[in-house]
Amino acid sequence: MSKLNIVLFGPPGAGKGTQSAFLIQRYGLVHLSTGDLLRGEIKEETELGIAAKELMDRGDLVPDHIVIGMIRNKIEAHLDAQGFIFDGFPRTQAQAEALDEMLNAKSEPIVAMLALEVPEEELVKRLLGRGETSGRTDDSNESIIRNRIREYEKKTAPLRGYYQAQGKFKGIDGVGSLADITDRLVKAIG
Ligand code: B4P
């Protein structure tokens, strides 16, 4: 059976991490969040984590070669997975091309790119809300949050066109209850 490899896409605060938790349970997938992987490196105070922290605290993207290397290692470590949810990856054209290369080499391509769509003011509200308890520097201040959204619009949003050209893009309304949004995602997966 072919693998269910899905890109869960959307701006910061769209609900990617939140919805991934439901989808991995339902479909038995492996969750690969580059944000979580980077925060793990920061916690362990690795060289990579120390380099990434400054960029993440400002709301800037981490260089492509770092996140591509992390994803490559994780894919190789889960060769028996039924599929992957890529959460927060790819975020640039170079990352999208590298991911296609890795998966096409195994004849296990991305089957769908599910894009959660949420208005900017709602994103800011959610992230400031999370910042009250998360301890994340990048959630703690509105100008950093707006920088993350600008980075997304400039470097990440154009990937919609990349996946549209492959016939894999599916837009999903990301406003509503968690359960309703999960239902929309499940319907889109089919
Ligand atoms: P990420 O960890 O990917 O963080 P994120 O964009 O904030 O999304 P996250 O998944 O955590 O939040 P969610 O929307 O679920 O990235 C952090 C940083 O890491 C980036 O800025 C960058 O520096 C670096 N990075 C990561 N990947 C990279 C890459 N590939 N290349 C380069 N740099 C990279 O949830 C947000 C909040 O909304 C939560 O509080 C949640 O409870 C709430 N929420 C969710 N759904 C809701 C709903 N329906 N209604 C109300 N609230 C909801």
Side-chain angles (χ1 to χ4, degrees), residues 107-134:
S107 303
E108 293 163 1
I110 292 295
V111 295
M113 185 258 220
L114 307 177
L116 290 168
E117 292 162 352
V118 177
E120 175 160 344
E121 292 318 306
E122 170 73 12
L123 299 172
V124 173
K125 197 175 94 190
R126 288 184 189 179
L127 293 173
L128 283 173
R130 183 171 67 184
E132 286 170 16
T133 54
S134 69

PDB file of all heavy atoms in Angstrom, residues 107-134:
ATOM      1  N   SER A 107      10.018   6.437  -4.075  1.00  0.00           N
ATOM      2  CA  SER A 107       8.698   6.276  -4.704  1.00  0.00           C
ATOM      3  C   SER A 107       7.572   6.409  -3.679  1.00  0.00           C
ATOM      4  O   SER A 107       6.594   5.655  -3.699  1.00  0.00           O
ATOM      5  CB  SER A 107       8.578   4.931  -5.430  1.00  0.00           C
ATOM      6  OG  SER A 107       9.590   4.828  -6.380  1.00  0.00           O
ATOM      7  N   GLU A 108       7.734   7.347  -2.738  1.00  0.00           N
ATOM      8  CA  GLU A 108       6.714   7.585  -1.710  1.00  0.00           C
ATOM      9  C   GLU A 108       6.411   9.082  -1.656  1.00  0.00           C
ATOM     10  O   GLU A 108       6.716   9.760  -0.674  1.00  0.00           O
ATOM     11  CB  GLU A 108       7.238   7.115  -0.337  1.00  0.00           C
ATOM     12  CG  GLU A 108       7.406   5.609  -0.259  1.00  0.00           C
ATOM     13  CD  GLU A 108       8.286   5.159   0.896  1.00  0.00           C
ATOM     14  OE1 GLU A 108       8.763   6.018   1.678  1.00  0.00           O
ATOM     15  OE2 GLU A 108       8.496   3.947   1.019  1.00  0.00           O
ATOM     16  N   PRO A 109       5.833   9.631  -2.707  1.00  0.00           N
ATOM     17  CA  PRO A 109       5.673  11.093  -2.791  1.00  0.00           C
ATOM     18  C   PRO A 109       4.656  11.651  -1.798  1.00  0.00           C
ATOM     19  O   PRO A 109       3.861  10.900  -1.215  1.00  0.00           O
ATOM     20  CB  PRO A 109       5.186  11.308  -4.229  1.00  0.00           C
ATOM     21  CG  PRO A 109       4.536  10.022  -4.601  1.00  0.00           C
ATOM     22  CD  PRO A 109       5.278   8.940  -3.880  1.00  0.00           C
ATOM     23  N   ILE A 110       4.664  12.967  -1.640  1.00  0.00           N
ATOM     24  CA  ILE A 110       3.606  13.674  -0.906  1.00  0.00           C
ATOM     25  C   ILE A 110       2.289  13.424  -1.640  1.00  0.00           C
ATOM     26  O   ILE A 110       2.239  13.558  -2.871  1.00  0.00           O
ATOM     27  CB  ILE A 110       3.909  15.195  -0.889  1.00  0.00           C
ATOM     28  CG1 ILE A 110       5.147  15.507  -0.050  1.00  0.00           C
ATOM     29  CG2 ILE A 110       2.709  16.013  -0.409  1.00  0.00           C
ATOM     30  CD1 ILE A 110       4.999  15.199   1.426  1.00  0.00           C
ATOM     31  N   VAL A 111       1.226  13.038  -0.882  1.00  0.00           N
ATOM     32  CA  VAL A 111      -0.051  12.815  -1.549  1.00  0.00           C
ATOM     33  C   VAL A 111      -0.945  14.060  -1.481  1.00  0.00           C
ATOM     34  O   VAL A 111      -1.786  14.268  -2.346  1.00  0.00           O
ATOM     35  CB  VAL A 111      -0.800  11.569  -1.007  1.00  0.00           C
ATOM     36  CG1 VAL A 111      -0.019  10.308  -1.308  1.00  0.00           C
ATOM     37  CG2 VAL A 111      -1.095  11.674   0.473  1.00  0.00           C
ATOM     38  N   ALA A 112      -0.776  14.879  -0.424  1.00  0.00           N
ATOM     39  CA  ALA A 112      -1.604  16.084  -0.320  1.00  0.00           C
ATOM     40  C   ALA A 112      -0.915  17.138   0.517  1.00  0.00           C
ATOM     41  O   ALA A 112      -0.183  16.821   1.451  1.00  0.00           O
ATOM     42  CB  ALA A 112      -2.957  15.749   0.313  1.00  0.00           C
ATOM     43  N   MET A 113      -1.184  18.390   0.155  1.00  0.00           N
ATOM     44  CA  MET A 113      -0.723  19.518   0.959  1.00  0.00           C
ATOM     45  C   MET A 113      -1.985  20.203   1.471  1.00  0.00           C
ATOM     46  O   MET A 113      -2.767  20.770   0.696  1.00  0.00           O
ATOM     47  CB  MET A 113       0.093  20.457   0.074  1.00  0.00           C
ATOM     48  CG  MET A 113       0.717  21.572   0.830  1.00  0.00           C
ATOM     49  SD  MET A 113      -0.182  23.066   0.632  1.00  0.00           S
ATOM     50  CE  MET A 113       1.176  24.207   0.493  1.00  0.00           C
ATOM     51  N   LEU A 114      -2.218  20.072   2.781  1.00  0.00           N
ATOM     52  CA  LEU A 114      -3.429  20.608   3.392  1.00  0.00           C
ATOM     53  C   LEU A 114      -3.084  21.944   4.035  1.00  0.00           C
ATOM     54  O   LEU A 114      -2.269  21.993   4.966  1.00  0.00           O
ATOM     55  CB  LEU A 114      -3.961  19.629   4.452  1.00  0.00           C
ATOM     56  CG  LEU A 114      -4.162  18.183   3.971  1.00  0.00           C
ATOM     57  CD1 LEU A 114      -4.608  17.296   5.125  1.00  0.00           C
ATOM     58  CD2 LEU A 114      -5.177  18.130   2.837  1.00  0.00           C
ATOM     59  N   ALA A 115      -3.694  23.010   3.529  1.00  0.00           N
ATOM     60  CA  ALA A 115      -3.312  24.357   3.964  1.00  0.00           C
ATOM     61  C   ALA A 115      -4.397  24.949   4.856  1.00  0.00           C
ATOM     62  O   ALA A 115      -5.504  25.241   4.392  1.00  0.00           O
ATOM     63  CB  ALA A 115      -3.094  25.239   2.737  1.00  0.00           C
ATOM     64  N   LEU A 116      -4.077  25.114   6.149  1.00  0.00           N
ATOM     65  CA  LEU A 116      -5.028  25.718   7.090  1.00  0.00           C
ATOM     66  C   LEU A 116      -5.044  27.228   6.878  1.00  0.00           C
ATOM     67  O   LEU A 116      -3.988  27.874   6.920  1.00  0.00           O
ATOM     68  CB  LEU A 116      -4.617  25.391   8.524  1.00  0.00           C
ATOM     69  CG  LEU A 116      -4.791  23.929   8.933  1.00  0.00           C
ATOM     70  CD1 LEU A 116      -4.078  23.660  10.261  1.00  0.00           C
ATOM     71  CD2 LEU A 116      -6.270  23.575   9.050  1.00  0.00           C
ATOM     72  N   GLU A 117      -6.237  27.782   6.652  1.00  0.00           N
ATOM     73  CA  GLU A 117      -6.356  29.213   6.354  1.00  0.00           C
ATOM     74  C   GLU A 117      -7.029  29.945   7.515  1.00  0.00           C
ATOM     75  O   GLU A 117      -8.136  29.589   7.917  1.00  0.00           O
ATOM     76  CB  GLU A 117      -7.152  29.385   5.052  1.00  0.00           C
ATOM     77  CG  GLU A 117      -6.349  28.865   3.875  1.00  0.00           C
ATOM     78  CD  GLU A 117      -7.149  28.586   2.617  1.00  0.00           C
ATOM     79  OE1 GLU A 117      -8.396  28.648   2.677  1.00  0.00           O
ATOM     80  OE2 GLU A 117      -6.510  28.294   1.586  1.00  0.00           O
ATOM     81  N   VAL A 118      -6.299  30.928   8.076  1.00  0.00           N
ATOM     82  CA  VAL A 118      -6.762  31.653   9.267  1.00  0.00           C
ATOM     83  C   VAL A 118      -6.369  33.128   9.102  1.00  0.00           C
ATOM     84  O   VAL A 118      -5.226  33.421   8.743  1.00  0.00           O
ATOM     85  CB  VAL A 118      -6.102  31.075  10.552  1.00  0.00           C
ATOM     86  CG1 VAL A 118      -6.510  31.855  11.783  1.00  0.00           C
ATOM     87  CG2 VAL A 118      -6.430  29.594  10.726  1.00  0.00           C
ATOM     88  N   PRO A 119      -7.290  34.068   9.371  1.00  0.00           N
ATOM     89  CA  PRO A 119      -6.948  35.492   9.241  1.00  0.00           C
ATOM     90  C   PRO A 119      -5.859  35.929  10.226  1.00  0.00           C
ATOM     91  O   PRO A 119      -5.759  35.381  11.332  1.00  0.00           O
ATOM     92  CB  PRO A 119      -8.261  36.218   9.559  1.00  0.00           C
ATOM     93  CG  PRO A 119      -9.319  35.185   9.553  1.00  0.00           C
ATOM     94  CD  PRO A 119      -8.684  33.854   9.773  1.00  0.00           C
ATOM     95  N   GLU A 120      -5.092  36.953   9.817  1.00  0.00           N
ATOM     96  CA  GLU A 120      -3.924  37.366  10.607  1.00  0.00           C
ATOM     97  C   GLU A 120      -4.274  37.752  12.049  1.00  0.00           C
ATOM     98  O   GLU A 120      -3.554  37.376  12.982  1.00  0.00           O
ATOM     99  CB  GLU A 120      -3.198  38.538   9.909  1.00  0.00           C
ATOM    100  CG  GLU A 120      -2.054  39.081  10.753  1.00  0.00           C
ATOM    101  CD  GLU A 120      -1.021  39.866   9.971  1.00  0.00           C
ATOM    102  OE1 GLU A 120      -0.983  39.774   8.729  1.00  0.00           O
ATOM    103  OE2 GLU A 120      -0.232  40.580  10.624  1.00  0.00           O
ATOM    104  N   GLU A 121      -5.371  38.501  12.249  1.00  0.00           N
ATOM    105  CA  GLU A 121      -5.668  38.951  13.622  1.00  0.00           C
ATOM    106  C   GLU A 121      -5.960  37.768  14.539  1.00  0.00           C
ATOM    107  O   GLU A 121      -5.620  37.785  15.719  1.00  0.00           O
ATOM    108  CB  GLU A 121      -6.815  39.972  13.638  1.00  0.00           C
ATOM    109  CG  GLU A 121      -6.449  41.302  12.982  1.00  0.00           C
ATOM    110  CD  GLU A 121      -5.032  41.823  13.337  1.00  0.00           C
ATOM    111  OE1 GLU A 121      -4.724  41.942  14.534  1.00  0.00           O
ATOM    112  OE2 GLU A 121      -4.233  42.097  12.416  1.00  0.00           O
ATOM    113  N   GLU A 122      -6.584  36.729  13.984  1.00  0.00           N
ATOM    114  CA  GLU A 122      -6.851  35.516  14.779  1.00  0.00           C
ATOM    115  C   GLU A 122      -5.525  34.805  15.114  1.00  0.00           C
ATOM    116  O   GLU A 122      -5.336  34.309  16.218  1.00  0.00           O
ATOM    117  CB  GLU A 122      -7.801  34.595  13.987  1.00  0.00           C
ATOM    118  CG  GLU A 122      -7.987  33.198  14.557  1.00  0.00           C
ATOM    119  CD  GLU A 122      -8.828  33.130  15.825  1.00  0.00           C
ATOM    120  OE1 GLU A 122      -9.481  34.135  16.176  1.00  0.00           O
ATOM    121  OE2 GLU A 122      -8.818  32.055  16.483  1.00  0.00           O
ATOM    122  N   LEU A 123      -4.593  34.794  14.168  1.00  0.00           N
ATOM    123  CA  LEU A 123      -3.282  34.164  14.425  1.00  0.00           C
ATOM    124  C   LEU A 123      -2.582  34.869  15.577  1.00  0.00           C
ATOM    125  O   LEU A 123      -2.045  34.228  16.492  1.00  0.00           O
ATOM    126  CB  LEU A 123      -2.382  34.252  13.180  1.00  0.00           C
ATOM    127  CG  LEU A 123      -2.866  33.563  11.916  1.00  0.00           C
ATOM    128  CD1 LEU A 123      -1.947  33.917  10.739  1.00  0.00           C
ATOM    129  CD2 LEU A 123      -2.911  32.052  12.114  1.00  0.00           C
ATOM    130  N   VAL A 124      -2.585  36.211  15.537  1.00  0.00           N
ATOM    131  CA  VAL A 124      -1.892  36.992  16.567  1.00  0.00           C
ATOM    132  C   VAL A 124      -2.529  36.706  17.925  1.00  0.00           C
ATOM    133  O   VAL A 124      -1.835  36.477  18.923  1.00  0.00           O
ATOM    134  CB  VAL A 124      -1.923  38.500  16.229  1.00  0.00           C
ATOM    135  CG1 VAL A 124      -1.356  39.329  17.367  1.00  0.00           C
ATOM    136  CG2 VAL A 124      -1.151  38.766  14.929  1.00  0.00           C
ATOM    137  N   LYS A 125      -3.860  36.676  17.946  1.00  0.00           N
ATOM    138  CA  LYS A 125      -4.582  36.419  19.204  1.00  0.00           C
ATOM    139  C   LYS A 125      -4.204  35.039  19.770  1.00  0.00           C
ATOM    140  O   LYS A 125      -3.884  34.901  20.953  1.00  0.00           O
ATOM    141  CB  LYS A 125      -6.094  36.494  18.920  1.00  0.00           C
ATOM    142  CG  LYS A 125      -6.946  36.647  20.148  1.00  0.00           C
ATOM    143  CD  LYS A 125      -8.407  36.834  19.770  1.00  0.00           C
ATOM    144  CE  LYS A 125      -9.096  35.477  19.786  1.00  0.00           C
ATOM    145  NZ  LYS A 125     -10.423  35.462  19.238  1.00  0.00           N
ATOM    146  N   ARG A 126      -4.193  34.024  18.906  1.00  0.00           N
ATOM    147  CA  ARG A 126      -3.875  32.669  19.378  1.00  0.00           C
ATOM    148  C   ARG A 126      -2.450  32.593  19.919  1.00  0.00           C
ATOM    149  O   ARG A 126      -2.192  31.973  20.956  1.00  0.00           O
ATOM    150  CB  ARG A 126      -3.988  31.666  18.211  1.00  0.00           C
ATOM    151  CG  ARG A 126      -5.394  31.397  17.780  1.00  0.00           C
ATOM    152  CD  ARG A 126      -5.381  30.322  16.696  1.00  0.00           C
ATOM    153  NE  ARG A 126      -6.671  30.150  16.080  1.00  0.00           N
ATOM    154  CZ  ARG A 126      -6.926  29.288  15.096  1.00  0.00           C
ATOM    155  NH1 ARG A 126      -5.939  28.534  14.616  1.00  0.00           N
ATOM    156  NH2 ARG A 126      -8.123  29.180  14.589  1.00  0.00           N
ATOM    157  N   LEU A 127      -1.524  33.194  19.197  1.00  0.00           N
ATOM    158  CA  LEU A 127      -0.113  33.043  19.607  1.00  0.00           C
ATOM    159  C   LEU A 127       0.172  33.823  20.879  1.00  0.00           C
ATOM    160  O   LEU A 127       0.902  33.335  21.752  1.00  0.00           O
ATOM    161  CB  LEU A 127       0.816  33.442  18.457  1.00  0.00           C
ATOM    162  CG  LEU A 127       0.732  32.490  17.257  1.00  0.00           C
ATOM    163  CD1 LEU A 127       1.543  33.026  16.081  1.00  0.00           C
ATOM    164  CD2 LEU A 127       1.207  31.084  17.612  1.00  0.00           C
ATOM    165  N   LEU A 128      -0.420  35.024  21.007  1.00  0.00           N
ATOM    166  CA  LEU A 128      -0.240  35.774  22.263  1.00  0.00           C
ATOM    167  C   LEU A 128      -0.848  34.969  23.415  1.00  0.00           C
ATOM    168  O   LEU A 128      -0.292  34.923  24.513  1.00  0.00           O
ATOM    169  CB  LEU A 128      -0.893  37.155  22.169  1.00  0.00           C
ATOM    170  CG  LEU A 128      -0.114  38.203  21.357  1.00  0.00           C
ATOM    171  CD1 LEU A 128      -0.959  39.485  21.195  1.00  0.00           C
ATOM    172  CD2 LEU A 128       1.226  38.553  22.013  1.00  0.00           C
ATOM    173  N   GLY A 129      -1.962  34.308  23.133  1.00  0.00           N
ATOM    174  CA  GLY A 129      -2.608  33.462  24.158  1.00  0.00           C
ATOM    175  C   GLY A 129      -1.685  32.326  24.567  1.00  0.00           C
ATOM    176  O   GLY A 129      -1.480  32.061  25.759  1.00  0.00           O
ATOM    177  N   ARG A 130      -1.095  31.657  23.582  1.00  0.00           N
ATOM    178  CA  ARG A 130      -0.184  30.550  23.910  1.00  0.00           C
ATOM    179  C   ARG A 130       1.036  31.076  24.662  1.00  0.00           C
ATOM    180  O   ARG A 130       1.566  30.405  25.550  1.00  0.00           O
ATOM    181  CB  ARG A 130       0.246  29.828  22.628  1.00  0.00           C
ATOM    182  CG  ARG A 130       1.132  28.632  22.920  1.00  0.00           C
ATOM    183  CD  ARG A 130       1.394  27.788  21.686  1.00  0.00           C
ATOM    184  NE  ARG A 130       2.192  28.487  20.702  1.00  0.00           N
ATOM    185  CZ  ARG A 130       2.505  28.009  19.500  1.00  0.00           C
ATOM    186  NH1 ARG A 130       2.065  26.812  19.145  1.00  0.00           N
ATOM    187  NH2 ARG A 130       3.232  28.699  18.667  1.00  0.00           N
ATOM    188  N   GLY A 131       1.481  32.293  24.290  1.00  0.00           N
ATOM    189  CA  GLY A 131       2.665  32.881  24.916  1.00  0.00           C
ATOM    190  C   GLY A 131       2.516  33.077  26.413  1.00  0.00           C
ATOM    191  O   GLY A 131       3.507  33.106  27.143  1.00  0.00           O
ATOM    192  N   GLU A 132       1.257  33.176  26.879  1.00  0.00           N
ATOM    193  CA  GLU A 132       1.060  33.377  28.324  1.00  0.00           C
ATOM    194  C   GLU A 132       1.504  32.161  29.115  1.00  0.00           C
ATOM    195  O   GLU A 132       1.840  32.263  30.293  1.00  0.00           O
ATOM    196  CB  GLU A 132      -0.425  33.678  28.612  1.00  0.00           C
ATOM    197  CG  GLU A 132      -0.802  35.091  28.196  1.00  0.00           C
ATOM    198  CD  GLU A 132      -2.303  35.344  28.251  1.00  0.00           C
ATOM    199  OE1 GLU A 132      -3.035  34.551  28.883  1.00  0.00           O
ATOM    200  OE2 GLU A 132      -2.724  36.338  27.626  1.00  0.00           O
ATOM    201  N   THR A 133       1.512  30.980  28.474  1.00  0.00           N
ATOM    202  CA  THR A 133       1.902  29.775  29.218  1.00  0.00           C
ATOM    203  C   THR A 133       3.064  29.005  28.585  1.00  0.00           C
ATOM    204  O   THR A 133       3.692  28.200  29.254  1.00  0.00           O
ATOM    205  CB  THR A 133       0.706  28.789  29.319  1.00  0.00           C
ATOM    206  OG1 THR A 133       0.229  28.560  27.990  1.00  0.00           O
ATOM    207  CG2 THR A 133      -0.405  29.336  30.189  1.00  0.00           C
ATOM    208  N   SER A 134       3.357  29.243  27.294  1.00  0.00           N
ATOM    209  CA  SER A 134       4.326  28.368  26.607  1.00  0.00           C
ATOM    210  C   SER A 134       5.773  28.656  26.992  1.00  0.00           C
ATOM    211  O   SER A 134       6.634  27.799  26.838  1.00  0.00           O
ATOM    212  CB  SER A 134       4.197  28.516  25.087  1.00  0.00           C
ATOM    213  OG  SER A 134       4.651  29.800  24.677  1.00  0.00           O
TER     214      SER A 134
END
